[in-house]
Amino acid sequence: METEFHTLGNLFEQLGIADNEQAIDAFIDKHKPLPNNIQLHQAPFWSTGQKSFLQEAIAADSDWAEVVDQLDAMLRD
């Protein structure tokens, strides 16, 4: 089985957020740092659908999991 490689831009597009580099940088700057006691999908800035997608991506170790982890790390720096 072949898994698909997703970029950060793909993830933002999937989440319905502007996916160009400047918009991604602005989003991360606006929402970081995410406290260590809050899981990524629990952050207050996500919609219900976005929360579900992020939680399922990690729980199912889907092909989105790596880029979701990348976003998580970027929001905690």
Side-chain angles (χ1 to χ4, degrees):
M1 183 170 94
E2 191 173 315
T3 58
E4 189 172 339
F5 174 76
H6 297 289
T7 66
L8 198 55
N10 296 146
L11 177 59
F12 273 68
E13 181 180 8
Q14 180 71 23
L15 293 169
I17 303 171
D19 60 350
N20 63 61
E21 187 176 336
Q22 295 82 10
I24 292 170
D25 289 345
F27 179 90
I28 291 168
D29 287 344
K30 179 179 179 180
H31 295 293
K32 75 176 187 182
L34 187 62
N36 289 331
N37 65 333
I38 296 176
Q39 293 183 14
L40 178 63
H41 72 275
Q42 295 172 323
F45 47 82
W46 300 122
S47 71
T48 302
Q50 290 168 330
K51 288 179 183 190
S52 294
F53 176 82
L54 294 167
Q55 184 176 24
E56 290 170 18
I58 296 299
D61 196 24
S62 75
D63 55 343
W64 288 100
E66 187 173 331
V67 73
V68 170
D69 283 342
Q70 178 185 355
L71 174 59
D72 188 18
M74 292 172 82
L75 284 167
R76 294 186 194 277
D77 284 344

